[in-house]
Amino acid sequence: MTSLPWPDARAVAARATVPLPPADQELGEALGQVLAVPLVALTDLPSFDTSAMDGWAVAGPGPWRLPAAQEGPGVLAGADHGGAPPLRDGHAVRIATGAPVPPGTTAVLRSEHGEVTGPDAPHPELHATRRLSQGQDIRPRGQECRHGDQLLPQGTVVTPAVLGLAAAAGYDSLHVTRRPRAEVLVLGDELLREGLPHGGRIRDALGPMLGPWLTALGAEVTAIRRLGDDTDALRSALAGSTADVVVTTGGTAAGPVDYVHAILRGLDAELLVDGVAVRPGHPMLLARLAPGRHLVGLPGNPLAAVAGLLTLAEPLLRTLSARPSPALYRAALTDAVKGHPDDTRLVPVVSRHSDSAEPLRFHGPAMLRGLAAADALAVIPPGGAARGARAGILELPWAAAGA
Ligand SMILES: Nc1nc2c(c(=O)[nH]1)N[C@H]1C(S)=C(S)[C@@H](COP(=O)(O)OP(=O)(O)OC[C@H]3O[C@@H](n4cnc5c(N)ncnc54)[C@H](O)[C@@H]3O)O[C@H]1N2
Ligand code: MOO
């Protein structure tokens, strides 16, 4: 199989699968998943005419008669006022922010805009110190939505704000597309899990990076396993995995211990992508292990692995979790970037949502120094890009968090 152009490889990965079946998840569990149906209001919001301020509910023009002081604290939020008597014209009653206004209320007068005269009199009087307009500081029932209104479309990612809105609108659980399960298999006998590199061995940079990165892409990471270069262990890990997506690192090229291809052949896996015209990362691959189960083979060089993650794993996970595709935005490069003659290049940049993208140094395939300072990767077409040229920008998942 020949290398696919980079945009084609992403398209193949996106089309390699279908969304996972939806299920009901309790609100707390649904964060980061995708709404499988529109979020429809189960109630009016607010669900009753509500006081927006602490003060007095008033009826008609002032001054207003207040109930005698000993008649209680007034209308409080949370108390059941179902049977609260209507407020008669010319009367007022103390009310708290969030409390249902009594029937007949025409406005709420804020505490700081009212004066009570003769507070010890049997019927003290309330005077407004500011003009009060009809309906002022009342949040009318249904102001935000009516029962049955669509609040958010299907395909919306459940953020903390969506959880809050869903709870306010009456939901205990949400119908969301299941989070794809991903398992990471880190290959290579040369990898150390701790301490300083020594004796020709290096630290595993991918195990610590890929778990949280896959989580940020919407996956549930079930395991990160270090298998060394044990082919039997890899074969049985692949045969026994129940993950929707298995991600391997290393062993994708044609070196003496690069055995991922051989094992995939032995398992009768279908190679969907075998090499991509992209630098770094060109030996990346995508295979179907079984219906609905895929393997993304990332090259071992760490920046090449990230290129593979964003080229193949990201579109695959996006389709599985039914996330909408973000628009690829463009930014003007602050420096020229040399291109590969035939392949797309992915180059770490700082863009920070501005219109420009500053290419970073230390972008070699084995390096993470540029990437760790970046918030995006610029997509440099074959042949390169001049200073000021507008390059496609692939945002890193945490860029929006201001990291
Ligand atoms: N003759 C050729 N050799 C290589 C080619 C080629 O086309 N012809 N391609 C090069 C490119 S490009 C890449 S990328 C690598 C891909 O190699 P593999 O996917 O087979 O990965 P390994 O050989 O296992 O490792 C490559 C490199 O990365 C280091 N590595 C591996 N895993 C980790 C990890 N978890 N953390 C940190 N570093 C890791 C490994 O020690 C090697 O240095 O092949 C080139 N060779
Ligand atoms: O393409 Mo390799 O993936 O440059 O390091």
Side-chain angles (χ1 to χ4, degrees):
M1 202 185 267
T2 50
S3 276
L4 280 180
W6 182 76
D8 298 7
R10 281 172 58 84
V12 169
R15 284 197 308 263
T17 190
V18 293
L20 291 165
D24 284 332
Q25 294 269 359
E26 283 188 18
L27 288 191
E29 302 295 313
L31 185 68
Q33 288 169 264
V34 172
L35 295 179
V37 291
L39 188 77
V40 169
L42 301 179
T43 175
D44 297 345
L45 279 181
S47 49
F48 45 81
D49 293 340
T50 309
S51 172
M53 295 288 161
D54 295 317
W56 296 269
V58 302
W64 302 274
R65 280 184 68 176
L66 286 165
Q70 65 270 21
E71 283 179 38
V75 184
L76 296 175
D80 187 356
H81 296 287
L87 202 55
R88 283 182 294 128
D89 199 31
H91 286 249
V93 65
R94 277 213 78 92
I95 195 162
T97 305
V101 299
T105 301
T106 55
V108 167
L109 180 67
R110 302 178 184 198
S111 332
E112 58 273 36
H113 297 165
E115 268 173 15
V116 179
T117 53
D120 298 325
H123 288 292
E125 241 184 19
L126 171 67
H127 295 257
T129 58
R130 298 273 177 96
R131 247 185 69 80
L132 189 64
S133 54
Q134 175 81 13
Q136 189 170 328
D137 285 328
I138 297 176
R139 294 193 288 116
R141 174 178 185 155
Q143 184 186 47
E144 188 174 359
C145 65
R146 286 283 175 195
H147 179 269
D149 281 355
Q150 178 174 315
L151 302 174
L152 292 168
Q154 173 182 352
T156 302
V157 177
V158 178
T159 59
V162 171
L163 289 179
L165 176 65
Y171 284 85
D172 300 320
S173 62
L174 289 172
H175 202 54
V176 287
T177 301
R178 173 166 76 72
R179 213 186 290 278
R181 281 192 290 267
E183 182 175 0
V184 180
L185 306 177
V186 178
L187 312 180
D189 281 341
E190 75 281 23
L191 302 175
L192 297 168
R193 294 185 66 165
E194 57 186 21
L196 293 175
H198 62 268
R201 301 181 72 196
I202 59 167
R203 283 289 297 275
D204 166 25
L206 295 177
M209 181 169 76
L210 291 178
W213 202 314
L214 287 162
T215 305
L217 293 177
E220 175 193 341
V221 179
T222 55
I224 298 182
R225 300 173 60 193
R226 274 106 177 159
L227 301 184
D229 283 317
D230 180 341
T231 51
D232 289 339
L234 176 59
R235 195 176 294 109
S236 58
L238 292 184
S241 172
T242 55
D244 302 300
V245 180
V246 179
V247 176
T248 59
T249 67
T252 57
V257 287
D258 296 341
Y259 41 76
V260 172
H261 281 94
I263 289 180
L264 290 175
R265 268 194 302 278
L267 291 172
D268 270 340
E270 183 187 351
L271 269 179
L272 304 176
V273 176
D274 188 12
V276 177
V278 65
R279 302 288 161 150
H282 74 273
M284 67 179 76
L285 59 89
L286 171 65
R288 184 175 289 128
L289 297 169
R293 294 190 42 236
H294 290 83
L295 175 137
V296 175
L298 302 178
N301 275 330
L303 189 60
V306 169
L309 190 71
L310 296 183
T311 302
L312 298 177
E314 193 270 343
L316 188 72
L317 290 169
R318 183 174 290 287
T319 298
L320 284 168
S321 55
R323 282 166 188 257
S325 306
L328 183 78
Y329 75 91
R330 291 185 171 269
L333 296 165
T334 59
D335 275 310
V337 182
K338 269 174 77 174
H340 184 275
D342 309 309
D343 294 357
T344 300
R345 282 189 67 201
L346 300 179
V347 177
V349 293
V350 173
S351 181
R352 303 216 193 284
H353 301 284
S354 67
D355 218 20
S356 65
E358 177 196 346
L360 298 175
R361 297 161 64 207
F362 305 110
H363 53 241
M367 298 180 184
L368 291 175
R369 186 169 167 184
L371 181 74
D375 57 17
L377 295 178
V379 181
I380 307 297
R387 180 186 173 145
R390 296 180 75 76
I393 297 292
L394 283 182
E395 277 196 313
L396 301 181
W398 48 86

